[in-house]
Amino acid sequence: MISYDHIMVRFGELSTKGKNKQDFIHRLYLNIKHALKEFDGLDIESRYDHIYVHLNGKDYEPIINRLQDVSGIQGLSLVHKTENDIEKIKQDSLELIKLEEGKTFKVKCKRSNKRFPLISDDIVRKVAPVILKNTDLKVDVHNPDILLNIEVRDEGTYIFVKTFEGAGGYPLGVGGKSMHMLSGGIDSPVAAYLLMRRGVKIECIHFASPPYTQEAVIYKLEDLLHKLNRYQPEIRLNIVPFTKIQEAIYDNAPESYCITLMRRMMYRLAERLAKRRKCPVISSGESVGQVASQTLQSINVINEVTNLPVIRPCAVMDKLEIISISKKIDTYDISIRPYEDCCTIFTPKAPKTAPQLNEAKSFEEKFDFESLIEDAINNVEVKIIS
Ligand code: ATP
Ligand code: MG
């Protein structure tokens, strides 16, 4: 009996990338291979304009499902491969359309193999009558129940009806690596996911303040990263001991400036580690206006400590949008688990929404933060989440 034997993977955005295209495709090929490791018996074939997964008799649904999380894939089709022979194409099209439910159909053809003797329109004109004659289906060119696609390529002809959306974006890894500030909240895992979709790998930095913050926060981060492993199979988590720095801030600055100073220290640490780990940028889950430390004036004073670009994927999203993405990637339920963050513990009653740079600097001059930073960086604890 006839069956769909391949999944066709389309790249979409990649095709605009000119000479980098081959690197992109190769990266995507490796990412797909990795994502499909759990299914054995599949073959993956990389070609100039598509990647094909040979199903070898396996059920397509879980495989499509898995591929829908791989960034850089525009679309997926469940295809049947046949010979570049019009009689075969007619016969297989008929048999395949009989497997579908519906009352109306349309045949669409694309011919990239210019040596094939018939042009696309001719192929449609040969195939459609065979279907009309041998089934009860009627033609509807505007809104057909079944759209039968025929693509004639060099290596063979692909026939398909079912098409699925991909995650879009770029293959993970082509965009380099970002040092991502991960808290246990809702926003930072979403920001990480958005970066990954653009092909950027992340490495995480987390500031922990034991005994004020508990070990449970780390389990929470691990759970969050396990969810993100779907998009990036291996994520490095750097846990920075932050207690001494935080205490020094509270000893030397008024309460209203503590958050500002704390965040300046976080960015100094993130920059230090980013450089050490060869990450050209820092990223975070900050969203403009969300809290006192995220007003434009605060962002200005905080960002002043680093020359590295800071990418804030959630910057202009409102909370509901961020929450809806976090539900989609399944991090929401973990993020809302109650926990004590270093930010929540020392939250001042009236944090500055418009901190002044010279004031922030004057408080920092009162203690030797450089050596505290040095010390923290030398005592980073690393976990690889995979
Ligand atoms: P989130 O939901 O991601 O926790 P938030 O709305 O709680 O964000 P803040 O606590 O002000 O906002 O933090 C803003 C961003 O700063 C976070 O998204 C994260 O990128 C970073 N951040 C905050 N706390 C930490 C921490 N303890 N370790 C690492 N990064 C942090
Ligand atoms: Mg937070």
Side-chain angles (χ1 to χ4, degrees):
M1 217 189 68
I2 197 155
S3 67
Y4 291 102
D5 41 23
H6 292 71
I7 292 168
M8 180 194 274
V9 178
R10 280 196 194 74
F11 315 143
E13 250 181 298
L14 291 197
S15 28
T16 60
K17 282 282 172 180
K19 73 173 169 53
N20 293 332
K21 184 169 166 178
Q22 285 315 313
D23 292 346
F24 276 61
I25 295 172
H26 187 62
R27 177 67 71 155
L28 183 58
Y29 167 77
L30 294 177
N31 293 350
I32 287 175
K33 224 170 135 158
H34 200 287
L36 297 182
K37 245 169 62 190
E38 60 190 279
F39 304 91
D40 23 68
L42 302 174
D43 290 308
I44 301 160
E45 177 195 2
S46 187
R47 291 194 162 268
Y48 180 70
D49 38 16
H50 292 100
I51 289 173
Y52 296 94
V53 179
H54 297 235
L55 289 170
N56 297 330
K58 289 263 165 3
D59 180 16
Y60 73 90
E61 264 171 315
I63 298 168
I64 295 263
N65 219 316
R66 188 70 192 85
L67 289 174
Q68 283 183 308
D69 290 330
V70 177
S71 68
I73 296 179
Q74 197 64 29
L76 297 152
S77 299
L78 182 63
V79 304
H80 169 79
K81 186 177 182 182
T82 192
E83 291 154 43
N84 288 343
D85 171 86
I86 189 63
E87 290 310 316
K88 274 299 270 176
I89 294 171
K90 274 158 58 177
Q91 184 190 334
D92 288 0
S93 295
L94 174 64
E95 283 185 54
L96 287 168
I97 211 162
K98 282 183 181 167
L99 302 175
E100 303 296 327
E101 279 175 31
K103 293 195 170 68
T104 59
F105 78 104
K106 174 183 175 177
V107 179
K108 208 173 129 188
C109 183
K110 221 164 94 181
R111 182 190 62 133
S112 61
N113 178 351
K114 299 299 174 200
R115 282 163 310 174
F116 192 75
L118 300 170
I119 61 164
S120 296
D121 283 352
D122 289 341
I123 298 170
V124 173
R125 274 188 224 110
K126 297 259 186 212
V127 172
V130 177
I131 296 170
L132 280 169
K133 199 171 140 203
N134 294 287
T135 67
D136 296 330
L137 293 166
K138 305 260 178 308
V139 172
D140 180 348
V141 290
H142 299 297
N143 196 14
D145 296 336
I146 308 165
L147 179 63
L148 185 91
N149 294 275
I150 301 172
E151 293 193 9
V152 184
R153 305 188 167 276
D154 292 342
E155 72 278 8
T157 294
Y158 299 91
I159 306 173
F160 59 95
V161 173
K162 288 190 181 66
T163 287
F164 308 82
E165 239 178 79
Y170 297 108
L172 189 79
V174 299
K177 195 166 70 163
S178 174
M179 184 55 70
H180 187 68
M181 296 164 70
L182 186 74
S183 63
I186 295 170
D187 308 334
S188 47
V190 168
Y193 162 74
L194 293 172
L195 280 164
M196 290 172 184
R197 281 203 27 187
R198 300 314 289 170
V200 176
K201 268 194 175 170
I202 59 150
E203 170 162 342
C204 293
I205 182 169
H206 177 76
F207 308 97
S209 301
Y212 307 108
T213 61
Q214 290 127 21
E215 186 65 14
V217 181
I218 308 300
Y219 300 141
K220 189 177 181 184
L221 297 178
E222 289 179 2
D223 289 349
L224 287 170
L225 291 176
H226 275 306
K227 292 290 179 190
L228 292 174
N229 276 149
R230 239 179 126 71
Y231 313 99
Q232 180 179 323
E234 198 178 277
I235 305 173
R236 185 184 170 109
L237 170 62
N238 303 281
I239 302 163
V240 180
F242 200 56
T243 314
K244 284 186 196 149
I245 295 175
Q246 211 162 1
E247 287 172 345
I249 293 171
Y250 281 81
D251 287 345
N252 291 287
E255 210 189 57
S256 62
Y257 264 84
C258 284
I259 293 279
T260 308
L261 297 196
M262 214 170 76
R263 300 194 63 78
R264 281 168 62 89
M265 296 301 166
M266 286 183 179
Y267 273 101
R268 287 186 175 106
L269 288 159
E271 177 182 274
R272 231 29 99 77
L273 202 59
K275 287 184 172 158
R276 185 179 287 191
R277 298 283 311 148
K278 304 205 163 24
C279 300
V281 302
I282 299 171
S283 50
S284 81
E286 284 163 310
S287 177
V288 172
Q290 212 184 69
V291 288
S293 64
Q294 296 174 24
T295 62
L296 294 184
Q297 178 61 22
S298 283
I299 289 176
N300 175 287
V301 172
I302 290 163
N303 211 140
E304 191 266 342
V305 299
T306 177
N307 287 321
L308 288 187
V310 179
I311 300 181
R312 300 176 171 90
C314 298
V316 294
M317 297 169 75
D318 61 45
K319 197 74 189 184
L320 288 178
E321 268 181 277
I322 300 172
I323 286 174
S324 108
I325 298 176
S326 80
K327 286 185 174 163
K328 194 180 95 183
I329 61 172
D330 210 20
T331 52
Y332 182 74
D333 289 337
I334 302 169
S335 291
I336 59 172
R337 274 189 221 155
Y339 78 111
E340 303 284 20
D341 185 3
C342 57
C343 297
T344 44
I345 294 210
F346 294 100
T347 304
K349 280 165 226 88
K352 275 264 182 263
T353 52
Q356 297 303 308
L357 182 58
N358 54 355
E359 287 203 62
K361 282 183 169 169
S362 73
F363 300 130
E364 283 173 355
E365 275 163 17
K366 297 206 273 178
F367 63 105
D368 178 15
F369 63 84
E370 278 300 342
S371 65
L372 290 174
I373 283 181
E374 197 60 36
D375 199 43
I377 284 291
N378 289 331
N379 286 288
V380 168
E381 186 195 340
V382 175
K383 293 194 176 205
I384 305 291
I385 315 296
S386 63

